[in-house]
Amino acid sequence: MNHNPQSGDGKHDDDTALSDFLASLMEYTPTIPDELVEHYLAKSGVQCPDVRLIRLVAVATQKFVAEVASDALQHCKARQASVIKDKRDKQQKDKRLILTMEDLSKSLREYGVNVKHQEYFADSPSTGIDPASRDE
Amino acid sequence: MNDGGLENRKEHGKSQKQSKSSKFNSKSDDFALAIAKVAVAQVCESVGFQSFQHSALQTLSDIIVRYIYSIGKTANINANLAGRVEANVFDVLQRLEELGSGLGFAGASDADRCVVNSGIVRDIVHFVGEADDFQFAYDVPQFPVVKEWKETGSFWEKGEEPPGKHIPNWLPVFPDPETYAARTSEGNETMSVLNGEKSELASFETKLEWSLLNLQQRFACNGNEGGSSHDGGDAVRAREAAESNPYLAAPLHFGEKEVEVSPVVLPVKLSNEVALKNIVSENCIVGNHVSVLETFAPAIEAMKSGFCDSENRQKKVLHNQRPMVHFKIETGKKSLGSATNV
């Protein structure tokens, strides 16, 4: 990126880059619905009639969630891989990728969110396993 | 995604209870939080998760709500700092850079850069370019629903005269007299129920009566309107209300034959009720109509206390009325009792 904010050309480039960026946001449909973002933005005091701004926040939020989730996924995979081999055969059945509090708090810590996993608040160990397979 | 079955439901409820005190978990926000949960679950699924713990999903959705909230709050602060009311894209990007500063992003050290060229924006562009579109699973309605405020309008706006001179015309108009008239009829109905009239037949009868009475009131009101057109619509309405509700009748002036008038006004109503009951059994609507007009005439006249010509007639009517009132009250009680017996 070699731009010169002093020159008029550079400014013009920045303008077009900005509008292109915002226009590209409109083409993308984020999973996080606009209404949700709008609601919380309004709650926080922002008045923005601009849909592109809402889209920007929605996309940024989705990017954040996706990053946290993929980090947690890596933690999850690493934990499952570290299980000793002979045990692994036993647990082959429930080798599903489950978003657990443990992995989530690890990945969130990297993003500056300290989630203290409540020790007394135990999710059932069979969480995320199919009810059918649980019976076996 | 599979949510792991029923066992978590209980814990889910418990955790909701535990976090009730949170600002984002107030009861009015349940809908938004539920949407956030679905959205987070969808994103997690797209990343590659197959399942989740409820506590983890709840934590993550709570965090994204706070994320959005903090973006909005700081963007608003940035805008206000720059002397603007509405936040724009630069305020939001500024906040996103602040939020990303924990991890760091490309070009953060360059103080003289354009916002568009910062690493945050490039990351977002990259993300938009490579991530697949995952439409949200449901159609989300616009929320929260804000009811449109319907103004009643003042007397002046509606072009009506306030019913009293002490009421300035910039005040909102009174509600339709039918509304409080209906309430009084309901009250009377419940009173009659309290009196012991609980059989279905009787209640049906009273309902019929009251609907009829309302009809009659309307007839009577229309009839009077022709006679006293100079009163205007409001006065007619007020009188109509007064007909059905003795408490809304115009107050008597001090020393104005209250001994004679006040005992009559209430019995007229009762007698009317009883007369109606008798007439309803005969299904004679025209006769009923006349009787209502007749029975209400003294009450109406009594309310128009200012008119001197009504005095003689009033007396006459009252004299005519009085024995009938006594008679009707007695039969009324009997008929009520008989109705419950039957």
Side-chain angles (χ1 to χ4, degrees), chain B residues 215-249:
Chain B
L215 198 71
Q216 298 308 326
Q217 277 172 356
R218 231 162 274 162
F219 276 144
C221 161
N222 287 340
N224 282 336
E225 206 169 16
S228 58
S229 56
H230 61 276
D231 275 354
D234 242 27
V236 170
R237 268 198 216 165
R239 211 179 309 130
E240 187 195 344
E243 279 166 17
S244 58
N245 191 351
Y247 298 104
L248 288 175

Coordinates of all heavy atoms in Angstrom, one line a residue, chain B residues 215-249:
Chain B
L215 N -79.4 -0.4 22.8 CA -80.0 0.0 21.6 C -81.0 1.1 21.8 O -81.1 2.1 21.1 CB -80.7 -1.2 21.0 CG -81.1 -1.2 19.5 CD1 -79.9 -1.2 18.7 CD2 -82.1 -2.3 19.2
Q216 N -81.8 0.9 22.9 CA -82.8 1.9 23.3 C -82.2 3.2 23.6 O -82.7 4.3 23.2 CB -83.6 1.4 24.5 CG -84.3 0.1 24.3 CD -85.2 0.1 23.1 OE1 -85.7 1.2 22.8 NE2 -85.3 -1.0 22.4
Q217 N -81.1 3.1 24.3 CA -80.4 4.4 24.6 C -80.0 5.1 23.4 O -80.2 6.4 23.3 CB -79.1 4.1 25.4 CG -79.4 3.9 26.9 CD -78.2 3.4 27.6 OE1 -77.2 3.2 27.0 NE2 -78.3 3.2 28.9
R218 N -79.6 4.4 22.4 CA -79.2 5.0 21.2 C -80.4 5.7 20.5 O -80.4 6.8 20.0 CB -78.5 4.0 20.2 CG -77.2 4.6 19.7 CD -76.4 3.5 19.1 NE -75.6 2.8 20.2 CZ -75.1 1.6 20.0 NH1 -75.2 0.9 18.9 NH2 -74.4 1.1 21.0
F219 N -81.5 4.9 20.5 CA -82.7 5.5 20.0 C -83.1 6.7 20.7 O -83.4 7.8 20.1 CB -83.9 4.4 20.1 CG -83.9 3.4 19.0 CD1 -84.2 2.1 19.2 CD2 -83.5 3.8 17.7 CE1 -84.2 1.2 18.2 CE2 -83.5 2.9 16.7 CZ -83.9 1.6 16.9
A220 N -83.1 6.6 22.0 CA -83.6 7.7 22.8 C -82.7 8.9 22.6 O -83.1 10.1 22.5 CB -83.5 7.3 24.3
C221 N -81.4 8.6 22.5 CA -80.4 9.7 22.2 C -80.7 10.4 20.9 O -80.8 11.6 20.8 CB -79.0 9.1 22.2 SG -77.8 10.2 21.5
N222 N -81.0 9.6 19.9 CA -81.3 10.2 18.6 C -82.5 11.0 18.6 O -82.6 12.1 18.1 CB -81.4 9.1 17.6 CG -80.1 8.5 17.2 OD1 -79.1 9.1 17.5 ND2 -80.1 7.3 16.7
G223 N -83.5 10.5 19.4 CA -84.8 11.2 19.5 C -84.6 12.6 20.1 O -85.1 13.6 19.7
N224 N -83.8 12.6 21.2 CA -83.6 13.8 21.9 C -82.7 14.8 21.1 O -82.9 16.0 21.2 CB -82.8 13.5 23.2 CG -83.8 13.0 24.2 OD1 -85.0 13.2 24.1 ND2 -83.3 12.2 25.2
E225 N -81.9 14.2 20.3 CA -81.0 15.1 19.5 C -81.8 15.9 18.6 O -81.5 17.1 18.4 CB -80.0 14.2 18.6 CG -78.8 14.9 18.3 CD -77.8 13.9 17.8 OE1 -78.2 12.8 17.3 OE2 -76.6 14.3 17.7
G226 N -82.9 15.3 18.0 CA -83.7 16.1 17.1 C -84.4 17.3 17.9 O -84.5 18.4 17.4
G227 N -84.7 17.0 19.1 CA -85.4 18.1 19.9 C -84.5 19.2 20.4 O -84.8 20.3 20.4
S228 N -83.3 18.8 20.7 CA -82.3 19.8 21.3 C -81.1 19.8 20.4 O -80.0 19.5 20.9 CB -82.0 19.4 22.7 OG -81.5 18.1 22.7
S229 N -81.2 20.3 19.2 CA -80.1 20.3 18.3 C -79.1 21.4 18.7 O -78.0 21.3 18.4 CB -80.5 20.5 16.9 OG -81.3 21.6 16.8
H230 N -79.6 22.4 19.4 CA -78.7 23.5 19.8 C -77.7 23.1 20.8 O -76.8 23.8 21.1 CB -79.6 24.7 20.3 CG -80.4 24.3 21.5 ND1 -81.6 23.7 21.4 CD2 -80.1 24.5 22.8 CE1 -82.0 23.5 22.6 NE2 -81.1 24.0 23.5
D231 N -77.9 21.9 21.4 CA -77.0 21.5 22.5 C -75.6 21.1 21.9 O -74.6 21.1 22.6 CB -77.6 20.3 23.3 CG -78.5 20.9 24.4 OD1 -78.5 22.1 24.5 OD2 -79.1 20.1 25.0
G232 N -75.6 20.6 20.7 CA -74.4 20.1 20.1 C -74.2 18.6 20.5 O -74.8 18.1 21.4
G233 N -73.3 18.0 19.8 CA -73.1 16.6 19.9 C -72.6 16.2 21.3 O -73.0 15.1 21.8
D234 N -71.8 17.0 21.9 CA -71.2 16.6 23.1 C -72.2 16.5 24.2 O -72.2 15.6 25.1 CB -70.1 17.6 23.5 CG -68.8 17.0 23.6 OD1 -68.6 15.9 22.9 OD2 -67.9 17.5 24.3
A235 N -73.1 17.5 24.3 CA -74.1 17.5 25.3 C -75.0 16.3 25.2 O -75.3 15.7 26.2 CB -74.9 18.8 25.2
V236 N -75.3 16.0 24.0 CA -76.2 14.8 23.8 C -75.5 13.5 24.3 O -76.0 12.7 25.0 CB -76.5 14.6 22.3 CG1 -77.2 13.3 22.0 CG2 -77.4 15.8 21.8
R237 N -74.2 13.5 24.0 CA -73.4 12.3 24.4 C -73.4 12.3 25.9 O -73.5 11.2 26.5 CB -72.0 12.4 23.9 CG -71.8 11.7 22.6 CD -70.4 11.5 22.3 NE -70.0 11.6 20.9 CZ -68.8 11.8 20.5 NH1 -67.8 11.9 21.4 NH2 -68.5 11.8 19.2
A238 N -73.1 13.4 26.5 CA -73.0 13.5 28.0 C -74.4 13.0 28.6 O -74.4 12.3 29.6 CB -72.7 14.9 28.4
R239 N -75.4 13.4 27.9 CA -76.7 13.1 28.5 C -77.0 11.6 28.3 O -77.5 10.9 29.2 CB -77.9 13.8 27.8 CG -79.0 14.1 28.7 CD -80.1 14.8 28.0 NE -79.6 16.0 27.3 CZ -79.9 16.3 26.0 NH1 -80.6 15.5 25.3 NH2 -79.4 17.4 25.5
E240 N -76.5 11.1 27.2 CA -76.6 9.6 27.0 C -75.9 8.9 28.1 O -76.4 7.9 28.6 CB -76.1 9.3 25.6 CG -76.3 7.8 25.2 CD -75.5 7.5 24.1 OE1 -75.0 8.4 23.4 OE2 -75.4 6.2 23.9
A241 N -74.7 9.4 28.3 CA -73.9 8.7 29.4 C -74.6 8.9 30.7 O -74.7 7.9 31.5 CB -72.5 9.4 29.5
A242 N -75.2 10.0 30.9 CA -75.9 10.2 32.2 C -77.1 9.3 32.3 O -77.5 8.9 33.4 CB -76.3 11.7 32.3
E243 N -77.7 9.0 31.2 CA -78.9 8.2 31.2 C -78.5 6.8 31.8 O -79.2 6.2 32.6 CB -79.5 8.0 29.8 CG -80.3 9.1 29.4 CD -80.6 9.1 27.9 OE1 -80.3 8.0 27.3 OE2 -81.0 10.1 27.3
S244 N -77.4 6.3 31.3 CA -77.0 5.0 31.7 C -76.3 5.0 33.0 O -76.3 3.9 33.7 CB -76.1 4.4 30.6 OG -75.0 5.2 30.4
N245 N -75.8 6.1 33.4 CA -75.0 6.1 34.6 C -75.5 7.2 35.5 O -75.4 8.4 35.2 CB -73.5 6.4 34.3 CG -72.7 6.1 35.5 OD1 -73.2 6.0 36.6 ND2 -71.4 6.2 35.3
P246 N -76.2 6.8 36.6 CA -76.8 7.8 37.5 C -75.7 8.7 38.1 O -76.0 9.9 38.4 CB -77.5 7.0 38.5 CG -77.0 5.7 38.4 CD -76.5 5.5 37.0
Y247 N -74.5 8.2 38.2 CA -73.4 9.0 38.9 C -72.9 10.1 38.0 O -72.3 11.0 38.4 CB -72.3 8.1 39.2 CG -72.7 7.0 40.2 CD1 -72.9 5.7 39.8 CD2 -72.9 7.3 41.5 CE1 -73.3 4.8 40.7 CE2 -73.3 6.4 42.4 CZ -73.5 5.1 42.0 OH -73.9 4.1 42.8
L248 N -73.2 10.0 36.7 CA -72.8 11.0 35.8 C -73.8 12.1 35.5 O -73.6 13.0 34.8 CB -72.4 10.4 34.4 CG -71.1 9.6 34.4 CD1 -70.9 8.9 33.1 CD2 -70.0 10.5 34.8
A249 N -75.0 11.9 36.2 CA -76.0 12.9 36.0 C -75.6 14.3 36.5 O -74.7 14.4 37.4 CB -77.3 12.5 36.8

